[in-house]
């Protein structure tokens, strides 16, 4: 199996319907239906990012205790390991849980316990705390100050949720604080927002990777910069189709990104909602976009190049990609 780093994955977006129902029962939370298949069937046709986010945030009311957060992350990490993921850099949205009355120690305690177990069984995993951009800049700074006492639980900050109307420059101060703390910095940009959002994320927030970045392709100068500076893009093909950024998987720009020499990677974003994990995304780009085994090894290499890891780990995983390239298997 192709060894990969998964770099764009919202832990809240891994809440599969069967666990959603189990947690709702555990915590006495009302759901529109308790039939997991019916819940999943409702995810079939989101109009756009906001339509998805409305469902995603509503479902998160089922997460209440450390055990719940542990179970959520443990289930993802087991699936990811089985799909060939060696390294997972996992987004979490603590502001959602704070809004639901769940304190940070519960979120970090539960997720941290699951990550510690995964590390003990040989996987590499870390958390990236995301700011919900539609809650604004003051809330982002407040979250970061509140999260710093839990600094050992996360390696970086990100920016997610509704993009349109929330340009990266609003979050300059939060990212300056993060940089001063030695945290890695990434941001969603160019998923629905235009290429100027990608530029601002680079120039104002100082991000090391762009999450999505699809709309950067509209600006040739920006493409040249991303290529020359080897700025990684964490691309999520099935998500882009599910949220209507791309009409059909066959139209996805990933092959063009590779042709242009961009450091593109494949990721699952919110696998419980968009038709599957990183393995389903790899299968889709292989079968529907015609990517070759050579292309897949480039994507795998890019993922380890883009990961926030020590060089010794990177070298070991790149050697595994070389071995896979010698005798590719699904
Ligand atoms: N939060 C979870 N998934 C997201 C996505 N695809 N874009 C922005 N915010 C998100
Ligand atoms: Zn995302």
């Amino acid at each position: 199996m192709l060894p990969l780093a998964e770099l764009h994955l919202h832990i809240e977006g891994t809440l599969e319907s069967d666990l959603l129902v189990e947690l709702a029962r555990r915590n006495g939370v009302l759901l529109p239906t308790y039939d997991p298949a019916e819940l999943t069937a409702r995810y079939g046709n989101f109009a756009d990012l906001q339509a998805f986010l409305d469902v995603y945030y509503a479902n998160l009311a089922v997460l209440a205790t450390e055990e719940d957060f542990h179970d959520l992350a443990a289930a993802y990490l087991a699936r990811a390991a089985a799909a060939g993921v060696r390294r997972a850099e996992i987004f979490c949205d603590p502001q959602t849980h704070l809004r639901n009355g769940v304190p940070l120690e519960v979120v970090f305690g539960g997720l941290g316990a699951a990550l510690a177990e995964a590390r003990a069984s040989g996987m590499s995993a870390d958390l990236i705390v995301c700011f919900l951009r539609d809650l604004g800049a003051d809330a982002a700074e407040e979250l970061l100050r509140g999260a710093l006492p839990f600094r050992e639980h996360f390696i970086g900050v990100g920016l997610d949720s509704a993009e349109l109307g929330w340009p990266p420059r609003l979050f300059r101060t939060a990212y300056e604080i993060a940089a001063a703390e030695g945290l890695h910095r990434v941001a969603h940009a160019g998923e629905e927002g235009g290429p100027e959002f990608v530029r601002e994320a680079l120039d104002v927030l100082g991000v090391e990777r762009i999450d999505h970045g699809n709309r950067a392709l509209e600006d040739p100068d920006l493409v040249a910069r991303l290529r020359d500076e080897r700025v990684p893009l964490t691309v999520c093909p099935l998500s882009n189709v599910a949220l209507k950024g791309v009409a059909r998987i066959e139209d996805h720009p990933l092959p063009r990104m590779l042709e242009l020499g961009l450091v593109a990677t494949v990721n699952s974003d919110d696998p419980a909602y968009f038709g599957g994990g990183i393995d389903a995304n790899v299968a889709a780009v292989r079968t529907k976009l015609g990517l070759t085994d050579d292309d897949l090894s480039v994507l795998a290499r890019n993922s380890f190049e883009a990961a926030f890891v020590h060089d010794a780990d990177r070298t070991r995983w790149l050697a595994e990609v070389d071995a896979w390239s010698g005798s590719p298997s699904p």
Side-chain angles (χ1 to χ4, degrees), residues 8 10 13 49 52-53 56-57 93 159-163 188 191 212 239 243 269-270 274:
H8 185 157
H10 302 262
L49 174 59
F52 154 69
L53 290 171
Y56 165 92
Y57 291 128
D93 286 341
L159 185 62
D160 66 359
S161 201
E163 186 176 3
H188 284 54
E191 180 183 21
H212 295 293
S239 164
L243 301 186
D269 206 3
D270 300 286
F274 303 147

Side-chain angles (χ1 to χ4, degrees), residues 57-136:
Y57 291 128
N59 281 345
L60 297 178
V62 302
L63 290 164
T65 66
E66 269 195 38
E67 185 190 6
D68 301 340
F69 284 90
H70 166 273
D71 293 354
L72 174 68
Y76 161 69
L77 288 160
R79 284 192 295 270
V85 173
R86 305 293 195 271
R87 163 79 180 160
E89 297 181 7
I90 300 173
F91 296 141
C92 61
D93 286 341
Q95 284 162 294
T96 308
H97 311 304
L98 287 167
R99 202 163 44 183
N100 289 338
V102 181
L104 290 176
E105 51 264 43
V106 169
V107 177
F108 288 121
L111 297 179
L115 267 62
E117 288 165 14
R119 289 183 196 121
S121 63
M123 189 160 162
S124 172
D126 280 297
L127 291 177
I128 293 177
V129 168
C130 284
F131 306 122
L132 300 187
R133 60 209 307 160
D134 47 345
L135 297 187

